[in-house]
Amino acid sequence: MDEWMCAAIAEARQGLAEGGIPIGSVLVRDGAILGRGRNRRVQDSDPMTHAEIDCLRKAGRIGSYRCAVLYSTLMPCYLCAGAVVQFGIETVIAGESATFGGARAFMESHGVIVRDLDLDECKQLMRDFIAANPRLWDEDIGE
């Protein structure tokens, strides 16, 4: 596992420690983290603050997102995939998609390269959270 996914996992763990949903994300370009974020829907009482959106907000205006790579501990949902496509992020690396399939096909249909690392650490983090908080998880994914 590379340092960027480790940084995304650290964000997810921080979110969990804050009482939130353990999903983390980092935006990387040229070997540097431009932004980092975590799902803050619970902490901020804001349905839009998914990890990837929080990450992009924290990256701020960076001009072109070309050559940037978005790392996320979980396959991005349609909201976050829409932001990826809208801003022209070329590559998404997900920690896992077993607990949530996300919008991989949507991103790929728009030319985004998507890699699923299928990491046990990411899957276990989500499985433990979902088992302990099924209603909160259902709310997060819109069920």
Side-chain angles (χ1 to χ4, degrees), residues 5-143:
M5 185 53 72
C6 288
I9 291 170
E11 287 293 322
R13 291 194 182 285
Q14 180 64 35
L16 181 62
E18 295 169 354
I21 299 164
I23 304 168
S25 184
V26 295
L27 184 67
V28 177
R29 185 172 62 197
D30 298 326
I33 293 177
L34 302 175
R36 53 180 76 226
R38 55 189 168 273
N39 185 305
R40 299 188 51 83
R41 292 181 65 254
V42 174
Q43 300 93 309
D44 295 350
S45 192
D46 179 351
M48 300 300 285
T49 313
H50 288 211
E52 299 86 349
I53 301 301
D54 188 43
C55 176
L56 291 170
R57 283 179 174 156
K58 289 178 178 169
R61 293 182 62 227
I62 63 169
S64 173
Y65 291 82
R66 295 202 187 280
C67 300
V69 178
L70 183 70
Y71 287 78
S72 182
T73 58
L74 187 65
M75 187 64 69
C77 69
Y78 281 96
L79 170 70
C80 299
V84 165
V85 170
Q86 178 68 31
F87 294 118
I89 296 170
E90 297 175 343
T91 304
V92 170
I93 300 177
E96 66 107 346
S97 64
T99 58
F100 179 71
R104 180 179 190 153
F106 171 79
M107 290 185 286
E108 288 176 336
S109 75
H110 286 85
V112 178
I113 297 165
V114 181
R115 288 188 46 218
D116 181 353
L117 301 179
D118 193 36
L119 297 173
D120 289 335
E121 184 174 2
C122 292
K123 289 187 284 190
Q124 192 63 53
L125 191 61
M126 289 309 301
R127 278 194 297 257
D128 291 347
F129 176 80
I130 292 166
N133 303 280
R135 288 179 50 195
L136 185 56
W137 174 244
D138 287 347
E139 176 189 324
D140 191 59
I141 61 171
E143 294 208 3

